[in-house]
Amino acid sequence: MSETEKTTLAAIHQSAMKEFTAKGFRAASLRNIVKQAGVTTGAFYGYYKSKEALFDALVGPHYEAFLGKFRETQVSFANLPPQEQLASVGKISGACMDWMAVYAYDHLAVFQLILCGSEGTKYAHLLDEMIAIETQATHAFAEVMERQGRPAYHIDAQLEHMLISGMFSTYFELFIHNVPRQKAAEYIRQFRAFYTAGWQQIMGF
């Protein structure tokens, strides 16, 4: 790609971030993006085939990095021997949440767009995806506990969903409201302690 092409692409990305952030994906105008970038529609289609493809280019890599880290952590935890799982409850997931927070703050505009302006795209389902992954991991851990002679894990499915949803919704509030990094780190520490104690009480360990 030539320097001119790189400059044009950067202008398109900058204009698109502004338009998507202001209006969200659904209401954003491709015509406005192209106009503000100072390029023709024909030139735009030399880079992207649609508004959807442009949005994907802006947020997709960060979405996958964020969610990928979460999935990877859950798999790594599940692969630990049972006693190590019991000994490290909260520690591994806590380190993951810290990593994800740093990553999100490093790309804050993108994550605010994902959380507040991605309706109409697959990225609007970040919360649902994380809830599903966490729920599956919770059930897997409960099975490990039972095999170790720990109390069986019984909780109403609707309540379980509400608790997990509340945990991640609280987490995302940090990015949505642009809580300062230092304060966010302290908030994460506090709500991790809150939710860890609650789950320990519910799961009986």
Side-chain angles (χ1 to χ4, degrees), residues 93-103 171 185 188-189 192:
S93 62
C96 175
M97 294 187 82
D98 289 342
W99 183 95
M100 291 192 300
V102 170
Y103 189 90
Y171 186 67
I188 290 171
R189 186 190 68 78
R192 273 174 47 198

Side-chain angles (χ1 to χ4, degrees), residues 139-156:
H139 292 173
F141 178 62
E143 292 176 5
V144 169
M145 288 182 59
E146 288 187 40
R147 290 197 296 270
Q148 296 298 307
R150 301 279 178 153
Y153 170 61
H154 296 298
I155 184 172
D156 180 82

Side-chain angles (χ1 to χ4, degrees), residues 22-38:
K23 300 178 181 178
F25 172 79
R26 284 192 187 278
S29 166
L30 183 56
R31 179 177 295 180
N32 285 346
I33 292 172
V34 170
K35 181 180 179 181
Q36 292 301 317

